[in-house]
Amino acid sequence: MARNTLAAAVAGILLAVCAWTTLKAQTPRPARSVRDGIYSLEQALRGEALYEKHCDRCHGEDLGGDEGPALNSAEFLEDWKGMTAADIFERIRVWMPGDRPGILTREETAALLALILRSNRFPAGALDLPADKLTLSQFRVERPR
Ligand code: HEC
Protein backbone atom coordinates (compact mmCIF):
# COMPACT_ATOMS: atom_id res chain seq x y z
CA MET A 1 0.00 0.00 0.00
CA ALA A 2 2.70 2.44 1.06
CA ARG A 3 4.66 1.54 -2.07
CA ASN A 4 1.66 2.26 -4.29
CA THR A 5 1.15 5.62 -2.64
CA LEU A 6 4.79 6.45 -3.21
CA ALA A 7 4.62 5.39 -6.86
CA ALA A 8 1.52 7.53 -7.35
CA ALA A 9 3.24 10.50 -5.76
CA VAL A 10 6.31 10.08 -7.97
CA ALA A 11 4.12 9.80 -11.08
CA GLY A 12 2.25 12.91 -10.01
CA ILE A 13 5.44 14.88 -9.58
CA LEU A 14 6.74 13.71 -12.97
CA LEU A 15 3.51 14.80 -14.64
CA ALA A 16 3.67 18.18 -12.97
CA VAL A 17 7.28 18.67 -14.11
CA CYS A 18 6.37 17.72 -17.69
CA ALA A 19 3.40 20.10 -17.72
CA TRP A 20 5.52 22.89 -16.31
CA THR A 21 8.31 22.32 -18.83
CA THR A 22 5.84 22.39 -21.72
CA LEU A 23 4.26 25.56 -20.38
CA LYS A 24 7.63 27.21 -19.95
CA ALA A 25 8.67 26.26 -23.49
CA GLN A 26 5.58 28.03 -24.81
CA THR A 27 6.22 31.32 -23.01
CA PRO A 28 7.94 33.74 -25.40
CA ARG A 29 11.51 34.27 -24.29
CA PRO A 30 14.71 35.52 -25.95
CA ALA A 31 15.73 32.96 -28.55
CA ARG A 32 19.40 32.78 -27.60
CA SER A 33 21.04 32.17 -24.27
CA VAL A 34 24.36 32.54 -22.48
CA ARG A 35 25.01 28.92 -23.52
CA ASP A 36 25.38 29.85 -27.17
CA GLY A 37 29.01 31.03 -27.27
CA ILE A 38 28.17 34.72 -26.98
CA TYR A 39 31.63 36.02 -25.93
CA SER A 40 35.18 35.40 -27.19
CA LEU A 41 38.09 33.91 -25.27
CA GLU A 42 40.25 37.01 -25.97
CA GLN A 43 37.55 39.17 -24.46
CA ALA A 44 37.37 37.03 -21.31
CA LEU A 45 41.17 37.36 -20.98
CA ARG A 46 40.85 41.16 -21.21
CA GLY A 47 38.19 40.83 -18.54
CA GLU A 48 40.60 38.91 -16.33
CA ALA A 49 43.10 41.81 -16.28
CA LEU A 50 40.28 44.24 -15.43
CA TYR A 51 38.99 41.89 -12.76
CA GLU A 52 42.39 41.82 -11.02
CA LYS A 53 42.48 45.60 -11.06
CA HIS A 54 38.91 46.39 -9.98
CA CYS A 55 37.12 43.38 -8.53
CA ASP A 56 39.22 40.65 -6.92
CA ARG A 57 39.69 42.49 -3.65
CA CYS A 58 35.98 42.02 -2.92
CA HIS A 59 34.90 39.04 -5.03
CA GLY A 60 37.97 36.85 -4.46
CA GLU A 61 40.82 35.81 -6.71
CA ASP A 62 38.89 33.09 -8.55
CA LEU A 63 35.49 34.87 -8.45
CA GLY A 64 34.61 32.59 -5.54
CA GLY A 65 33.56 35.44 -3.23
CA ASP A 66 35.06 37.25 -0.24
CA GLU A 67 33.61 40.53 1.05
CA GLY A 68 31.30 40.46 -1.99
CA PRO A 69 29.33 37.41 -3.20
CA ALA A 70 30.73 34.68 -5.48
CA LEU A 71 30.23 35.44 -9.18
CA ASN A 72 30.48 31.82 -10.32
CA SER A 73 28.31 29.86 -7.90
CA ALA A 74 25.02 27.99 -8.32
CA GLU A 75 23.39 30.76 -6.25
CA PHE A 76 24.73 33.41 -8.60
CA LEU A 77 23.10 31.70 -11.58
CA GLU A 78 19.94 31.10 -9.59
CA ASP A 79 19.76 34.84 -8.82
CA TRP A 80 19.89 35.73 -12.50
CA LYS A 81 17.82 32.88 -13.93
CA GLY A 82 15.00 34.16 -16.12
CA MET A 83 16.79 37.46 -16.65
CA THR A 84 19.10 38.41 -19.51
CA ALA A 85 22.78 39.23 -20.01
CA ALA A 86 21.71 42.89 -20.19
CA ASP A 87 20.56 42.75 -16.56
CA ILE A 88 23.92 41.49 -15.28
CA PHE A 89 25.69 43.98 -17.55
CA GLU A 90 23.75 46.91 -16.07
CA ARG A 91 24.24 45.60 -12.53
CA ILE A 92 28.00 45.78 -13.07
CA ARG A 93 28.08 48.97 -15.11
CA VAL A 94 25.97 51.02 -12.71
CA TRP A 95 26.84 49.51 -9.29
CA MET A 96 30.36 48.09 -9.49
CA PRO A 97 33.10 48.32 -8.25
CA GLY A 98 31.16 48.60 -4.98
CA ASP A 99 33.46 51.32 -3.64
CA ARG A 100 33.80 53.25 -6.93
CA PRO A 101 30.70 52.67 -9.06
CA GLY A 102 30.50 54.20 -12.50
CA ILE A 103 34.20 54.04 -13.47
CA LEU A 104 33.84 51.19 -16.01
CA THR A 105 33.33 51.83 -19.72
CA ARG A 106 30.76 49.75 -21.60
CA GLU A 107 33.56 47.79 -23.32
CA GLU A 108 35.21 47.06 -19.96
CA THR A 109 31.87 45.96 -18.53
CA ALA A 110 31.34 43.59 -21.47
CA ALA A 111 34.83 42.11 -20.98
CA LEU A 112 34.12 41.55 -17.28
CA LEU A 113 30.81 39.88 -18.11
CA ALA A 114 32.68 37.66 -20.61
CA LEU A 115 35.02 36.59 -17.80
CA ILE A 116 32.07 35.89 -15.49
CA LEU A 117 30.41 33.75 -18.20
CA ARG A 118 33.64 31.85 -18.73
CA SER A 119 34.04 31.32 -15.00
CA ASN A 120 30.52 29.88 -14.92
CA ARG A 121 31.56 27.32 -17.60
CA PHE A 122 29.64 28.83 -20.52
CA PRO A 123 31.47 28.18 -23.80
CA ALA A 124 33.26 30.92 -25.75
CA GLY A 125 32.40 31.67 -29.38
CA ALA A 126 33.94 33.56 -32.29
CA LEU A 127 32.67 37.07 -31.53
CA ASP A 128 32.98 39.46 -28.60
CA LEU A 129 30.00 39.98 -26.37
CA PRO A 130 28.48 43.27 -27.54
CA ALA A 131 28.28 46.23 -25.17
CA ASP A 132 24.81 47.43 -26.17
CA LYS A 133 21.79 46.74 -24.04
CA LEU A 134 19.42 45.80 -26.84
CA THR A 135 21.60 42.95 -28.12
CA LEU A 136 22.49 41.80 -24.62
CA SER A 137 18.80 41.62 -23.71
CA GLN A 138 18.42 38.89 -26.35
CA PHE A 139 20.59 36.45 -24.38
CA ARG A 140 18.72 34.80 -21.54
CA VAL A 141 20.52 33.49 -18.46
CA GLU A 142 20.43 29.71 -17.98
CA ARG A 143 22.43 27.07 -16.20
CA PRO A 144 25.49 25.72 -18.03
CA ARG A 145 24.99 22.35 -19.78
C1 HEC B 1 34.40 47.20 -2.49
C2 HEC B 1 33.98 45.86 -2.77
C3 HEC B 1 33.53 45.48 -4.17
C4 HEC B 1 34.23 45.65 -5.34
C5 HEC B 1 35.59 46.28 -5.54
C6 HEC B 1 33.41 45.06 -6.37
N1 HEC B 1 32.25 44.55 -5.83
FE1 HEC B 1 30.74 43.61 -6.85
N2 HEC B 1 29.67 43.45 -5.13
C7 HEC B 1 30.11 43.83 -3.88
C8 HEC B 1 29.08 43.54 -2.90
C9 HEC B 1 29.19 43.77 -1.39
C10 HEC B 1 27.98 42.98 -3.61
C11 HEC B 1 26.65 42.49 -3.05
C12 HEC B 1 25.90 43.59 -2.41
C13 HEC B 1 25.55 44.65 -3.39
O1 HEC B 1 24.73 44.38 -4.25
O2 HEC B 1 26.12 45.77 -3.32
C14 HEC B 1 28.39 42.94 -5.02
C15 HEC B 1 27.60 42.43 -6.04
C16 HEC B 1 28.05 42.21 -7.34
C17 HEC B 1 27.30 41.54 -8.36
C18 HEC B 1 25.92 40.91 -8.21
C19 HEC B 1 26.12 39.53 -7.59
C20 HEC B 1 24.88 38.69 -7.52
O3 HEC B 1 24.94 37.63 -6.86
O4 HEC B 1 23.87 39.02 -8.11
C21 HEC B 1 28.09 41.50 -9.48
C22 HEC B 1 27.74 40.87 -10.82
C23 HEC B 1 29.32 42.19 -9.15
N3 HEC B 1 29.27 42.61 -7.84
C24 HEC B 1 30.38 42.34 -10.02
C25 HEC B 1 31.53 43.08 -9.73
C26 HEC B 1 32.57 43.36 -10.70
C27 HEC B 1 32.59 42.86 -12.13
C28 HEC B 1 33.51 44.12 -10.05
C29 HEC B 1 34.77 44.75 -10.64
C30 HEC B 1 34.54 45.73 -11.68
C31 HEC B 1 33.05 44.31 -8.68
N4 HEC B 1 31.85 43.66 -8.53
C32 HEC B 1 33.76 45.01 -7.71
C33 HEC B 1 31.32 44.39 -3.57
C34 HEC B 1 32.29 44.77 -4.49
Side-chain angles (χ1 to χ4, degrees), residues 10 12 20 30 33 42 70 72 84-86 90 95 112 128 140-142 144:
V10 169
W20 179 78
S33 92
E42 296 72 27
N72 60 1
T84 70
E90 286 299 301
W95 298 97
L112 285 159
D128 278 6
R140 61 180 193 278
V141 179
E142 289 187 326

Coordinates of all heavy atoms in Angstrom, one line a residue, residues 10 12 20 30 33 42 70 72 84-86 90 95 112 128 140-142 144:
V10 N 5.2 9.8 -7.0 CA 6.3 10.1 -8.0 C 5.7 10.4 -9.4 O 6.2 11.3 -10.0 CB 7.3 8.9 -8.0 CG1 8.2 9.0 -9.2 CG2 8.0 8.8 -6.7
G12 N 2.9 11.6 -10.1 CA 2.2 12.9 -10.0 C 3.3 14.0 -10.2 O 3.1 14.9 -11.0
W20 N 4.9 21.6 -16.6 CA 5.5 22.9 -16.3 C 6.5 23.2 -17.4 O 6.6 24.3 -17.9 CB 6.2 22.8 -14.9 CG 6.9 24.1 -14.6 CD1 6.4 25.2 -14.1 CD2 8.3 24.2 -14.6 NE1 7.4 26.1 -13.9 CE2 8.6 25.6 -14.1 CE3 9.4 23.4 -14.9 CZ2 9.9 26.1 -14.1 CZ3 10.7 23.9 -14.9 CH2 10.9 25.2 -14.4
P30 N 13.7 35.3 -25.0 CA 14.7 35.5 -25.9 C 15.2 34.2 -26.6 O 15.3 33.2 -25.9 CB 15.8 36.2 -25.1 CG 15.2 36.7 -23.9 CD 14.0 35.9 -23.6
S33 N 20.7 32.1 -25.7 CA 21.0 32.2 -24.3 C 22.5 32.3 -24.1 O 23.3 32.2 -25.0 CB 20.5 30.9 -23.6 OG 21.5 29.9 -23.5
E42 N 39.4 35.8 -26.1 CA 40.3 37.0 -26.0 C 39.6 38.0 -25.1 O 40.2 38.7 -24.3 CB 40.5 37.7 -27.3 CG 41.3 36.8 -28.3 CD 40.5 35.6 -28.9 OE1 39.2 35.7 -28.9 OE2 41.1 34.6 -29.2
A70 N 30.1 35.4 -4.4 CA 30.7 34.7 -5.5 C 30.0 35.0 -6.8 O 28.8 35.3 -6.8 CB 30.6 33.2 -5.2
N72 N 30.5 33.0 -9.5 CA 30.5 31.8 -10.3 C 29.9 30.6 -9.6 O 30.2 29.5 -9.8 CB 31.9 31.5 -10.8 CG 32.8 31.3 -9.6 OD1 32.4 31.3 -8.5 ND2 34.1 31.0 -9.9
T84 N 18.3 38.5 -18.3 CA 19.1 38.4 -19.5 C 20.5 38.9 -19.2 O 20.7 39.5 -18.1 CB 18.5 39.2 -20.7 OG1 18.6 40.6 -20.3 CG2 17.1 38.9 -20.9
A85 N 21.4 38.7 -20.2 CA 22.8 39.2 -20.0 C 22.8 40.7 -19.8 O 23.7 41.3 -19.1 CB 23.6 38.8 -21.2
A86 N 21.8 41.4 -20.4 CA 21.7 42.9 -20.2 C 21.5 43.3 -18.7 O 22.1 44.3 -18.3 CB 20.6 43.5 -21.0
E90 N 24.1 45.6 -16.7 CA 23.8 46.9 -16.1 C 24.1 46.9 -14.6 O 24.5 47.9 -14.0 CB 22.3 47.2 -16.3 CG 21.9 47.6 -17.7 CD 22.6 48.9 -18.1 OE1 22.4 49.9 -17.4 OE2 23.4 48.9 -19.1
W95 N 26.6 49.7 -10.7 CA 26.8 49.5 -9.3 C 28.2 49.1 -8.9 O 28.6 49.1 -7.7 CB 25.8 48.5 -8.7 CG 24.4 48.9 -8.9 CD1 23.6 48.6 -9.9 CD2 23.7 49.9 -8.0 NE1 22.4 49.2 -9.7 CE2 22.4 50.0 -8.6 CE3 24.1 50.6 -6.9 CZ2 21.5 50.8 -8.0 CZ3 23.1 51.4 -6.3 CH2 21.8 51.5 -6.9
L112 N 34.3 42.1 -18.6 CA 34.1 41.6 -17.3 C 33.0 40.5 -17.3 O 33.1 39.5 -16.7 CB 33.8 42.6 -16.2 CG 35.1 43.4 -15.9 CD1 34.7 44.8 -15.3 CD2 36.0 42.6 -14.9
D128 N 33.1 38.8 -29.9 CA 33.0 39.5 -28.6 C 31.5 39.6 -28.2 O 30.6 39.8 -29.1 CB 33.6 40.9 -28.6 CG 35.1 40.8 -28.5 OD1 35.7 39.7 -28.5 OD2 35.7 41.9 -28.4
R140 N 19.3 35.1 -22.9 CA 18.7 34.8 -21.5 C 19.7 34.0 -20.7 O 20.6 33.3 -21.2 CB 17.4 34.0 -21.6 CG 17.5 32.7 -22.3 CD 16.1 32.0 -22.4 NE 16.4 30.7 -22.8 CZ 16.5 30.3 -24.1 NH1 16.5 31.2 -25.0 NH2 16.7 29.1 -24.4
V141 N 19.6 34.2 -19.4 CA 20.5 33.5 -18.5 C 20.0 32.1 -18.1 O 18.8 32.0 -17.8 CB 20.7 34.3 -17.2 CG1 21.6 33.6 -16.2 CG2 21.2 35.7 -17.5
E142 N 20.8 31.1 -18.3 CA 20.4 29.7 -18.0 C 21.6 29.0 -17.2 O 22.7 29.6 -17.2 CB 20.2 28.9 -19.3 CG 19.0 29.3 -20.0 CD 18.7 28.4 -21.2 OE1 19.7 27.9 -21.8 OE2 17.5 28.1 -21.4
P144 N 24.6 26.3 -17.0 CA 25.5 25.7 -18.0 C 25.1 24.3 -18.3 O 24.4 23.7 -17.4 CB 26.9 25.8 -17.4 CG 26.7 26.2 -16.0 CD 25.3 26.6 -15.8

